[in-house]
Amino acid sequence: MFKSVLMAVLAFGFSLGAVASPTNPDDCVYINKVRAFAPESDTTLLVRQGKGVYRRIELAAGCPVAQADRIGFSYGNTLMSVQNPTGGYTRVTSSNMVGRFCSATPHANVVLINDRSDHDRQCKILTISPATEEEFDALRAKDNRY
């Protein structure tokens, strides 16, 4: 029984890797390296994931991008919680499953975190594309370090 469960878990893990493997690394974001983000519109935000690496993330309509104090990422409903400065609990990325999200990654979400509320919002990622430092600097960026 244990062996069959272990084999199923391993097969699922390998299938995630195969699905999330992009053909173009420019359409990916390394979720643990996002240091800052900047809302660009109601459905897009730009992220800085390291020196000189910027990405534009387009989200499904209806996400309050500008209201987020920080962002996290979720794969399906795989989230963890940490205690936030107001004493509540904030959901954050579970990084032990997927290290990067790409435009082709199914069930990938940005989690809009509001530090004054325990009600965070998951928004489906539609596309990820390259952005420039100039585009990022023209916006009002927010620090994304915990």
Side-chain angles (χ1 to χ4, degrees), residues 38 40 46 52 54 56 131-140:
E40 183 178 46
L46 273 58
Y54 299 88
R56 175 175 285 106
T132 66
E133 182 175 5
E134 292 77 22
E135 290 172 320
F136 185 82
D137 288 344
L139 301 171
R140 188 171 187 177

Side-chain angles (χ1 to χ4, degrees), residues 37-119:
F37 73 100
E40 183 178 46
S41 74
D42 292 343
T43 58
T44 60
L45 56 94
L46 273 58
V47 297
R48 178 173 48 92
Q49 66 176 21
K51 185 174 178 150
V53 181
Y54 299 88
R55 298 287 183 259
R56 175 175 285 106
I57 301 175
E58 181 184 356
L59 304 171
C63 289
V65 175
Q67 296 174 9
D69 294 313
R70 289 178 290 122
I71 61 170
F73 295 87
S74 69
Y75 183 78
N77 61 358
T78 304
L79 297 168
M80 301 183 310
S81 296
V82 296
Q83 194 161 13
N84 64 31
T86 62
Y89 287 90
T90 299
R91 293 177 292 176
V92 295
T93 301
S94 176
S95 61
N96 59 354
M97 200 163 189
V98 179
R100 70 179 175 183
F101 285 163
C102 303
S103 291
T105 305
H107 313 296
N109 302 296
V110 168
V111 180
L112 304 175
I113 299 168
N114 186 324
D115 288 337
R116 295 168 299 285
S117 170
D118 287 338
H119 303 289

Side-chain angles (χ1 to χ4, degrees), residues 12-46:
F12 178 72
F14 286 124
S15 70
L16 283 179
V19 170
S21 298
T23 57
N24 180 0
D26 287 342
D27 75 346
C28 298
V29 62
Y30 287 88
I31 62 176
N32 293 327
K33 295 183 179 181
V34 173
R35 303 292 182 245
F37 73 100
E40 183 178 46
S41 74
D42 292 343
T43 58
T44 60
L45 56 94
L46 273 58

